[in-house]
Amino acid sequence: MNNVSPTIVTFSITRQCNLNCKHCYSRASSFPSPDELSTNEAVRVLDEIKAAGTMMIIFDGGEPTLRSDLLQLISHAAEIGLIPILGTNGTTMTLEMAVELKKAGLKICAVSLDGATAKTHDDFRNVPGSFEDALRGIEYLKEAGIPFQVNPCVHSLNYHEIPDLLSFAQELGAVGVEIFEFIATGRGRSDSTLGVDKKLQVVEQILEYSKTTNMTTRMIGIPQFDILYRQNNDSSYRQGCCGAGRSIACIFNDGTVYPCMLMQMPVGNVRENSFVDIWNDSIILNKLRNRENLKGKCGRCFRRDECGGARCKAYINGDFLSEDPDCQYLM
């Protein structure tokens, strides 16, 4: 199973951030981590990511725009044939930065908006004014000609605003909305997770909205969306619920490699081994690639191969190969 290539690698290039978000998977802080990869190390890792057959590289953090060599890293990624994407909270964006990002080869920017109102967003991000700052950043991206998508994190305190947020994103000119489920990892607390019934409600609202717009809509780590999308929209849909270790990987600022940003189960470190070797040889990653290793209802489900459940939630429950505890479609 080691002859597969990652489609996407998330590269969390810094832990530094100007916000204090309640869900932060990287436990971001006001200062960079002292053991962050140097520019030379990061450039080498980008070469290794490309050598593994990767298509897209997502630079995030923390807040990646706070890292001084971001433009250099994006430029190098573009030069070697990767598709560079930036994940940002938008608040630090300036017009000058947006123009330089465009010149460096940035293809698309994902901006975090966690509500259709300033109160909902700012409460979750723990910084007053961050909603308006993010909207200003989006305007700079539009002026520089960089396509953008909106990335909300859906949780128990904002799920009711998701339909309004979809409409708002379309009004802003977003090319897509990619919704991440709140996962209790990093700073995330389990009391903010969305129950199964409310989650299904959100999924159905998004699927209904997707019929009326050309804007791309996706939900990450939610089997209900994956399965219902296949049933109601396009039988050729091939995304699959969980790509952890199969089509995606995550590299943290200190070089630690994880199957994905939400499944923080270390599988190696690029300071010790090349990313290519970690990707190909990791016992954990190879177990994730073989759906026959899945246990419980996920292992018996007739959608096992095309879905596989959210491995991050299984990992939080103690066994990364166990069944996804939140999927009511388990057979």
Side-chain angles (χ1 to χ4, degrees):
M1 294 296 291
N2 63 357
N3 58 345
V4 297
S5 297
T7 303
I8 301 172
V9 172
T10 302
F11 197 178
S12 301
I13 56 176
T14 184
R15 202 177 72 175
Q16 184 178 13
C17 189
N18 59 319
L19 302 183
N20 187 31
C21 307
K22 295 177 180 178
H23 70 307
C24 185
Y25 72 86
S26 61
R27 297 181 179 87
S29 65
S30 301
F31 302 97
S33 177
D35 56 356
E36 290 182 358
L37 297 174
S38 68
T39 299
N40 288 339
E41 287 177 314
V43 167
R44 172 180 58 79
V45 170
L46 289 173
D47 291 337
E48 294 172 2
I49 289 170
K50 175 62 178 177
T54 308
M55 294 174 58
M56 290 176 280
I57 178 74
I58 301 176
F59 294 96
D60 69 359
E63 174 48 49
T65 60
L66 297 180
R67 181 156 166 153
S68 60
D69 59 0
L70 174 63
L71 291 173
Q72 180 179 345
L73 298 180
I74 288 177
S75 178
H76 183 74
E79 287 173 0
I80 63 177
L82 292 168
I83 300 172
I85 301 169
L86 180 67
T88 175
N89 62 41
T91 63
T92 60
M93 188 63 60
T94 65
L95 179 56
E96 179 183 9
M97 182 186 299
V99 170
E100 292 302 314
L101 287 168
K102 177 74 172 179
K103 290 179 181 177
L106 184 67
K107 294 301 181 184
I108 189 169
C109 192
V111 182
S112 300
L113 285 182
D114 292 304
T117 64
K119 183 180 186 327
T120 301
H121 177 87
D122 291 358
D123 284 352
F124 195 57
R125 296 276 159 177
N126 272 326
V127 175
S130 57
F131 184 75
E132 293 302 324
D133 289 343
L135 295 184
R136 184 174 59 251
I138 286 173
E139 292 303 315
Y140 291 142
L141 292 170
K142 291 164 64 174
E143 191 170 344
I146 299 175
F148 74 96
Q149 68 180 38
V150 169
N151 283 20
C153 176
V154 63
H155 53 87
S156 61
L157 299 178
N158 74 344
Y159 75 95
H160 59 285
E161 288 189 13
I162 294 299
D164 291 337
L165 181 57
L166 289 166
S167 298
F168 186 47
Q170 184 164 0
E171 291 173 8
L172 288 172
V175 298
V177 175
E178 191 167 52
I179 300 172
F180 290 77
E181 183 181 5
F182 184 99
I183 302 294
T185 189
R187 277 204 297 264
R189 291 168 50 92
S190 59
D191 57 4
S192 294
T193 56
L194 205 59
V196 174
D197 291 342
K198 291 178 181 176
K199 188 186 308 180
L200 184 58
Q201 175 186 328
V202 172
V203 168
E204 291 173 340
Q205 289 172 336
I206 294 170
L207 289 172
E208 189 64 28
Y209 188 85
S210 69
K211 299 175 183 178
T212 67
T213 179
N214 292 325
M215 188 173 63
T216 301
T217 53
R218 293 185 294 271
M219 295 191 78
I220 304 301
I222 300 179
Q224 290 93 329
F225 177 81
D226 182 72
I227 292 170
L228 287 176
Y229 193 100
R230 291 174 189 271
Q231 292 175 351
N232 297 342
N233 288 268
D234 182 0
S235 60
S236 66
Y237 179 72
R238 289 291 180 269
Q239 177 175 308
C241 171
C242 185
R246 291 166 57 90
S247 60
I248 62 175
C250 174
I251 303 174
F252 258 39
N253 58 80
D254 64 353
T256 304
V257 180
Y258 299 109
C260 84
M261 63 184 182
L262 296 175
M263 184 182 166
Q264 294 183 13
M265 186 178 191
V267 297
N269 190 294
V270 293
R271 281 188 166 129
E272 300 169 1
N273 299 100
S274 75
F275 177 74
V276 175
D277 288 343
I278 294 170
W279 176 261
N280 287 334
D281 300 338
S282 164
I283 294 174
I284 293 170
L285 297 184
N286 278 289
K287 283 184 177 180
L288 285 167
R289 290 168 197 157
N290 187 351
R291 295 299 202 207
E292 293 182 1
N293 289 322
L294 297 182
K295 303 174 184 177
K297 293 182 179 179
C298 275
R300 298 191 299 271
C301 182
F302 76 100
R303 297 191 182 275
R304 179 187 69 184
D305 291 333
E306 64 191 39
C307 175
R311 295 297 97 211
C312 57
K313 283 181 267 185
Y315 176 60
I316 290 172
N317 275 8
D319 183 350
F320 71 100
L321 295 173
S322 65
E323 64 190 47
D324 182 330
D326 288 345
C327 183
Q328 78 268 32
Y329 291 102
L330 292 171
M331 303 299 176

